[in-house]
Amino acid sequence: MRVLSKQVTGYMEKSSWIRRMFEAGMELKKKYGAEAVCDFSLGNPDLPPPPEVGVALREIAEEVCRPFGLGYMPNFGYPFVRESLAGEISKEQGVPITAQDLVITCGAAGAINTVYRAVLEPGDEVVCPAPYFVEYGFYAENHGGSLRPVPTNPTDFSLDLSAMDAAITDKTRVVLINSPNNPTGRVYTLAELKGLTDILLRHNKGRERPIFLIADEPYRFLAYDGAVVPSLLPLYPYTVVVSSFSKNLSLAGARVGYALINPDMPEKTQMHDGIVLANRILGFVNAPALAQLLVHKAAGSQVDVGRYQGRRDAMAKVLTETGYTFAKPSGAFYFFPQAPGGDDVRFVNLLLEEKILGVPGSGFGAPGYFRLAFCVAQEVINRSREGFARAMAKVS
Ligand SMILES: Cc1ncc(COP(=O)(O)O)c(C=O)c1O
């Protein structure tokens, strides 16, 4: 008997590539031992949270055993946590924001879902540059919408502005961008973003409801070689920034992030109230109390970006020396090289024979490429060289 909905049954049959690679990796590790496998499949930050997180946890342990110490709170989060986050985020965005512009959420994933819940209507489209974070499509469909991917320029993954322009129709309710990008590592330039927001401003004229721009920014802190991640807030009033502490504090399992409503949005109070309601009725209720207290006390600290930069450089060296073609990432912790031979699924299977785990670009809406997550120990990167060389030799 089928007990699940047709949609979920279909999702499970298609099963994400990341999940398949995860399972293949588990088998390889069981058979050969974890140290024999080079696992670049998952974007799960391996750097430990900074020491401030441990100190904060100990303090919290002393403080919470009082009435309502971990009780219900307003659905937007603890007011004092919103205050402190507003201060930090104002610095990051270079734009003054206040606590009232923030809703604390269950990670960036929770934030995207609450914003969608607040604005999407059945049949609405979310336009998004491809390649893209694989969950985006599911999230849109959770709320009756659908994802409309628009390919980026194939050499450097910069935005194809005329293609974005052409993809926007009466059905478009959201444009969703992610910079620094998963899976390409691309950081969009100010000129690209200005080009995009000019397009949105033009399309908005005469529309009954605006097109929202969601800027998904959990990797904002992770830009290399002085790359600047421009803020979208000054460029477009209907911007909502979504982000989290999953990567900058290595707190991916603690599930805490936020939605930031542009203080310049004329209907910002309505938008805030809608997102808060969505946070409640989606069953999140509020972001986890403990995680909110943690990020409040550890505010201002972050993991060592220099370590990720060292790994990026080591990975670039390995891939260059073994003959791969790729755009060097300016941010995040992913490489998205071209699949030698052109068939990404076949090539990822060749890598698997070398006990190297990557993810086919098809899983991110970009066949012909594959993704490598370099949030792994430097030793794994160095050890992968031989395997990358042998896999390349098999297709040349
Ligand atoms: C681009 C992007 N957006 C959102 C998320 C979700 O992150 P969170 O843990 O904040 O929900 C991820 C996680 O890897 C991501 O890569």
Side-chain angles (χ1 to χ4, degrees):
M1 186 175 32
R2 176 171 66 82
V3 293
L4 302 176
S5 71
K6 283 195 186 129
Q7 191 186 43
V8 167
T9 307
Y11 287 167
M12 289 174 77
E13 275 161 13
K14 277 193 261 157
S15 159
S16 99
W17 273 108
I18 299 184
R19 197 187 150 90
R20 276 189 231 175
M21 294 317 294
F22 180 71
E23 282 158 9
M26 295 273 280
E27 253 176 63
L28 277 182
K29 287 173 194 170
K30 210 158 91 189
K31 204 157 154 195
Y32 300 104
E35 29 344 294
V37 179
C38 296
D39 188 350
F40 300 112
S41 65
L42 273 189
N44 193 11
D46 72 313
L47 293 186
E52 287 83 348
V53 169
V55 172
L57 252 183
R58 280 185 285 274
E59 282 178 22
I60 294 166
E62 295 298 319
E63 293 165 8
V64 291
C65 287
R66 56 174 177 79
F68 312 115
L70 292 174
Y72 287 123
M73 66 186 77
N75 300 116
F76 53 68
Y78 284 122
F80 62 93
V81 178
R82 284 208 310 183
E83 288 289 344
S84 63
L85 292 187
E88 285 303 313
I89 297 166
S90 295
K91 281 188 244 158
E92 280 171 23
Q93 295 283 338
V95 171
I97 66 148
T98 66
Q100 284 67 37
D101 304 320
L102 285 176
V103 180
I104 309 180
T105 60
C106 293
I112 297 170
N113 274 283
T114 54
V115 178
Y116 281 176
R117 183 69 184 89
V119 303
L120 288 184
E121 281 173 347
D124 280 354
E125 286 185 352
V126 174
V127 170
C128 166
Y132 56 86
F133 177 51
V134 68
E135 305 294 81
Y136 286 165
F138 298 116
Y139 296 164
E141 290 174 20
N142 281 346
H143 307 285
S146 62
L147 195 70
R148 179 152 181 182
V150 178
T152 48
N153 294 309
T155 42
D156 60 1
F157 308 111
S158 56
L159 296 177
D160 181 341
L161 290 175
S162 46
M164 292 290 284
D165 193 1
I168 294 171
T169 67
D170 289 350
K171 290 184 177 169
T172 310
R173 176 66 53 223
V174 170
V175 171
L176 170 59
I177 61 164
N178 163 225
S179 174
N181 186 266
N182 173 11
T184 66
R186 171 85 192 180
V187 175
Y188 300 131
T189 63
L190 182 58
E192 276 171 276
L193 297 175
K194 180 93 180 59
L196 177 66
T197 52
D198 284 348
I199 290 170
L200 296 182
L201 289 167
R202 174 161 47 76
H203 278 280
N204 264 351
K205 288 205 183 105
R207 285 177 64 114
E208 213 177 297
R209 291 179 60 216
I211 298 172
F212 294 94
L213 177 59
I214 301 184
D216 181 19
E217 300 189 345
Y219 304 97
R220 165 172 279 280
F221 76 106
L222 201 47
Y224 308 116
D225 308 323
V228 174
V229 185
S231 174
L232 279 150
L233 297 175
L235 301 184
Y236 187 66
Y238 290 98
T239 299
V240 180
V241 176
V242 296
S243 190
S244 75
F245 303 91
S246 293
K247 320 286 170 173
N248 69 342
L249 290 176
S250 281
L251 288 182
R255 312 306 309 136
V256 59
Y258 56 86
L260 156 59
I261 299 137
N262 196 341
D264 287 344
M265 192 183 298
E267 305 81 358
K268 63 183 176 185
T269 309
Q270 200 189 121
M271 190 70 179
H272 168 273
D273 294 350
I275 294 175
V276 172
L277 178 91
N279 207 28
R280 187 188 102 213
I281 66 177
L282 284 174
F284 296 128
V285 184
N286 52 252
L290 267 179
Q292 292 192 45
L293 296 173
L294 261 188
V295 298
H296 171 66
K297 286 181 182 280
S301 64
Q302 67 175 25
V303 297
D304 182 1
V305 173
R307 288 185 65 191
Y308 282 129
Q309 169 122 21
R311 291 158 174 202
R312 182 203 62 155
D313 294 344
M315 192 92 223
K317 194 159 180 283
V318 164
L319 294 175
T320 306
E321 289 174 2
T322 49
Y324 289 79
T325 304
F326 61 89
K328 197 172 182 183
S330 317
F333 40 54
Y334 307 99
F335 277 73
F336 204 60
Q338 290 176 21
D343 182 338
D344 52 327
V345 175
R346 176 169 175 261
F347 189 72
V348 163
N349 281 319
L350 290 178
L351 286 177
L352 211 53
E353 289 172 13
E354 303 301 330
K355 305 187 192 71
I356 295 177
L357 302 175
V359 182
S362 302
F364 303 93
Y369 298 84
F370 63 106
R371 190 191 79 169
L372 301 168
F374 62 87
C375 41
V376 300
Q378 183 109 2
E379 172 274 321
V380 178
I381 297 171
N382 298 339
R383 181 157 48 81
S384 67
R385 177 188 305 265
E386 300 286 300
F388 276 117
R390 279 196 298 268
M392 176 61 98
K394 285 183 189 165
V395 285
S396 336

